[in-house]
Amino acid sequence: MAGQLYLCATPIGNLEDMTFRAVRILKEVDMIAAEDTRNSIKLLNHFEIKTKMTSYHEYNKVDKARYLVDKIQQGLNVALITDAGTPGISDPGEELVKQCHEAGITVTSIPGACAAVNALIISGRSTRRFAFEAFLPPDKKERREILKTLEDETRTMIIYEAPHRLVRTLNELYQLLGDRKLTICKELTKRHETVFLTTFSEALKYYEKEAPRGEYILVIEGKSFQELKEESQEGFLQYSIEEHMELYLSKGIEKKQAMKQVAKDRGITKREVYQALLGEKNS
């Protein structure tokens, strides 16, 4: 019978966050696939885990995933761990998970720490709806396209950033989103954990004097629906009501429904639309 793939979350800083179940599974499986074996050996030694390890990282993820799938089909149980946190979140683990599902292999998760979720819940920002962007792409064109999609994002946004790129990213987001509220989290679960509720302008002033150090997570307030509505209305106001009506009529929408939509777009009543159209017709 085929084995299973276990996605085992590991601590993001504080070793006490390792779960009993994760330790047991890592001791019981036949093989551990680790993003960085040099880093993971310290964790395994701490918990006296002697299981054989193999490397699985961004640069070998496709071929190594095929190798691991083959081993699991032969009956081995394999655990996947990342450098810190939950595997499969912004790391090469998703490729292995995909290949396992394609091969009909059972995949299960051993839950634990996740930096994005930890940052979100202590950020003081809305947690009901959120968009996780991880690290923004280094390629300028791709980065620009991703940033553009965030301009009208109404969900809370979560972005990871390295210290040497933090100021640049804060500047880019400030130019795009305006002086939005955000929370900057650093060194989560560690002794010097920092949670900084601020705005883009305040943060940029702060980092003019304080050099960024450590790994950062930005939790950014989304655009309000009221802002979107006001911006949409401003855009439609460039048209006369008759021109606005024509936008919908030209799409085959019946007149009554078009009037209703124009009223909604402009934040006025349907009666006001009717009177305006009547006035334009008479004039």
Side-chain angles (χ1 to χ4, degrees):
M1 291 179 65
Q4 290 190 41
L5 174 66
Y6 295 87
L7 306 178
C8 290
T10 55
I12 58 175
N14 193 321
L15 288 177
E16 291 181 359
D17 293 333
M18 189 74 166
T19 68
F20 292 115
R21 186 181 176 204
V23 172
R24 177 177 63 79
I25 292 295
L26 291 175
K27 286 181 177 180
E28 290 178 355
V29 293
D30 302 292
M31 184 185 296
I32 297 170
E35 189 174 9
D36 186 337
T37 55
R38 295 166 301 180
N39 180 65
S40 295
I41 193 65
K42 300 171 188 174
L43 177 76
L44 300 190
N45 286 341
H46 181 83
F47 290 103
E48 299 180 349
I49 298 168
K50 308 296 184 183
T51 308
K52 176 184 175 183
M53 241 193 325
T54 187
S55 66
Y56 176 80
H57 49 72
E58 184 64 30
Y59 303 104
N60 72 354
K61 65 181 181 181
V62 177
D63 292 336
K64 196 57 175 281
R66 292 194 192 105
Y67 166 82
L68 292 170
V69 165
D70 184 57
K71 290 294 183 184
I72 296 170
Q73 287 177 322
Q74 291 176 30
L76 271 64
N77 288 313
V78 174
L80 176 67
I81 59 175
T82 185
D83 284 348
T86 301
I89 300 293
S90 187
D91 78 4
E94 62 180 325
E95 175 64 29
L96 178 56
V97 172
K98 177 185 172 185
Q99 289 196 30
C100 281
H101 281 301
E102 289 172 350
I105 291 168
T106 300
V107 179
T108 190
S109 66
I110 312 302
C114 176
V117 174
N118 280 38
L120 176 66
I121 61 176
I122 63 174
S123 68
R125 308 300 169 198
S126 174
T127 61
R128 183 173 174 269
R129 300 167 61 247
F130 62 92
F132 176 59
E133 289 296 334
F135 287 96
L136 294 171
D139 179 77
K140 287 184 180 179
K141 184 179 178 183
E142 189 182 355
R143 187 182 181 92
R144 217 167 28 241
E145 289 172 353
I146 293 293
L147 285 170
K148 191 66 180 171
T149 66
L150 301 181
E151 190 171 7
D152 291 328
E153 179 59 72
T154 57
R155 294 171 294 179
T156 300
M157 294 160 275
I158 304 171
I159 294 175
Y160 291 165
E161 196 49 278
H164 62 281
R165 292 193 301 263
L166 179 67
V167 173
R168 171 195 166 190
T169 297
L170 288 172
N171 255 312
E172 287 177 315
L173 291 167
Y174 183 27
Q175 297 303 317
L176 180 75
L177 306 178
D179 202 14
R180 199 80 63 85
K181 293 178 182 178
L182 79 154
T183 301
I184 301 176
C185 300
K186 185 179 77 166
E187 302 293 288
L188 291 181
T189 76
K190 299 177 185 176
R191 183 177 298 175
H192 300 294
E193 176 178 285
T194 304
V195 182
F196 180 22
L197 278 73
T198 183
T199 63
F200 283 116
S201 61
E202 289 174 354
L204 286 166
K205 285 179 185 176
Y206 177 81
Y207 289 114
E208 284 177 2
K209 300 174 183 177
E210 297 288 333
R213 293 187 180 89
E215 296 297 320
Y216 290 84
I217 303 175
L218 311 179
V219 184
I220 307 161
E221 184 178 69
K223 181 176 282 188
S224 71
F225 286 108
Q226 183 61 33
E227 284 180 280
L228 277 179
K229 182 180 177 182
E230 290 171 359
E231 288 172 6
S232 176
Q233 288 173 359
E234 286 174 14
F236 283 121
L237 290 177
Q238 65 181 299
Y239 301 107
S240 68
I241 289 183
E242 190 173 19
E243 290 170 333
H244 197 162
M245 277 288 292
E246 189 55 38
L247 287 174
Y248 290 111
L249 295 174
S250 64
K251 295 177 182 177
I253 297 173
E254 62 176 23
K255 188 174 181 180
K256 187 176 180 181
Q257 187 60 36
M259 288 176 65
K260 185 177 180 181
Q261 190 59 49
V262 168
K264 183 179 178 183
D265 290 344
R266 302 174 83 96
I268 59 178
T269 65
K270 198 164 70 170
R271 181 177 178 80
E272 287 174 296
V273 173
Y274 174 77
Q275 290 176 334
L277 290 171
L278 192 63
E280 288 176 8
K281 185 178 178 181
N282 290 338
S283 63

